Amino acid sequence: MWPASVSIREVGPRDGLQNEAPVPTADKVRLINALGQTGVKRIEAVSFVHPKAIPQMADADEVWASITKVPGVHYSALVPNLKGTQRALDAGFTEIEVVVSASDTHNRRNINRSTEESLGEISSILAKTPVEVIIATSFGCPYEGDVDPARVAGIVDRVVADGAQRVAFGDTTGMATPVRVRKVIEAVRANHPDLPLLLHFHNTRGTALANVLTALDLGITEFDASVGGLGGCPYAPGATGNVATEEVVHMLHDMGIDTGIDLEKMIEVAAMAEKIVGRELPSGVLRAGPRSRIIT
Ligand code: COA
Ligand code: ZN
């Protein structure tokens, strides 16, 4: 049985735009404001990271101060450490995601710390404020290859013991497949049957919607997605963005699953996103329109 509704967190303004050539602050604000009118209830708006690491997010404070906050929409920020958490709290965010990679090599490249060191810092963060913990490279690491689901489950055990009340699993470079999704979720569920879990897929190898469907079958009801499938990396050949929000919504609505999102409006925002980044985005639903659109 599929769930009656699914909660989608739009991550295009953060995960998408951090991987595109930098866009002006005003365009980010326009994009987030337009997303706020689509019915989506959660938007990851910015990240508070080192501006040298990700120059695209250097204007996070300005973006956050400039957007029109829509009542009922939950805006969040991603952070890599205590300093980022403090910046997010100072800016007025009440919803924060802290990221750590399951694989040590990726965590060192991304955050300049071992996984163990980051988990220590996350423990201090959780002692200070509730945050969602995002475990990146949960389904595979571009430097280390397969990641043992037991390692991912072990990280969940740690952060839950430290007070995390929700956990997300990032498929950072699109290495997830349905069978790996199943293994990770089953490994985590063994110790935490009721913990809210969110899945974050990239469509690098074309498996993202299949992964979403697999996760739905396993009772997962929260997903990240980015409008138009924004993202990728100009320096990493073959890297692509998150699964496109309108592709997920299109599939879910046809399955009778409510998202609260107006599909046509989301497609309009995807077209806007395409203009903002100045390149064709990979979303098939943006290209072809929904299946209900009849050619006259
Ligand atoms: N935002 C802004 N500045 C930060 C920061 C943050 N979140 N965290 C640390 N800094 C500053 C420190 O204050 C320090 O400043 P100073 O030199 O003026 O004293 C300086 O950065 C170095 O601090 P350190 O803790 O040694 O950081 P680092 O050089 O080891 O870098 C990160 C660690 C986490 C800050 C950096 O790797 C980073 O921002 N990574 C994010 C990568 C990312 O966003 N990836 C995509 C999302 S998954
Ligand atoms: Zn991502």
Side-chain angles (χ1 to χ4, degrees), residues 6 8 208-209 212 216 223-226 243-255 257 259 263 285:
V6 152
I8 291 181
L209 279 179
V212 169
L216 283 171
F223 297 94
D224 280 353
S226 77
V243 63
T245 310
E246 62 278 11
E247 290 190 338
V248 178
V249 170
H250 179 257
M251 182 179 87
L252 293 178
H253 287 186
D254 194 50
M255 293 162 75
I257 300 172
T259 63
L263 179 58
V285 172

Side-chain angles (χ1 to χ4, degrees), residues 11 14-16 18-19 170-173 200-202 224 240-242:
V11 298
R14 198 282 302 169
D15 203 354
Q18 81 173 16
N19 287 307
D171 181 26
T172 316
T173 58
H200 172 110
F201 295 120
H202 284 250
D224 280 353
T240 68
N242 302 85

Side-chain angles (χ1 to χ4, degrees), residues 57-135:
M57 291 290 129
D59 56 357
D61 279 298
E62 205 183 335
V63 169
W64 176 237
S66 307
I67 63 174
T68 306
K69 281 99 184 164
V70 177
V73 175
H74 298 259
Y75 300 89
S76 63
L78 178 133
V79 305
N81 57 8
L82 258 169
K83 164 103 182 177
T85 306
Q86 195 54 54
R87 287 180 61 203
L89 291 171
D90 291 347
F93 276 93
T94 54
E95 299 191 25
I96 297 173
E97 289 100 44
V98 60
V99 63
V100 56
S101 302
S103 67
D104 218 50
T105 315
H106 189 270
N107 205 61
R108 285 183 194 280
R109 299 254 181 148
N110 198 36
I111 301 183
N112 199 24
R113 301 282 182 279
S114 66
T115 301
E116 191 58 37
E117 286 169 322
S118 279
L119 288 173
E121 195 156 345
I122 287 173
S123 176
S124 313
I125 292 171
L126 283 164
K128 190 181 167 79
T129 188
V131 291
E132 173 183 302
V133 178
I134 300 179
I135 306 174

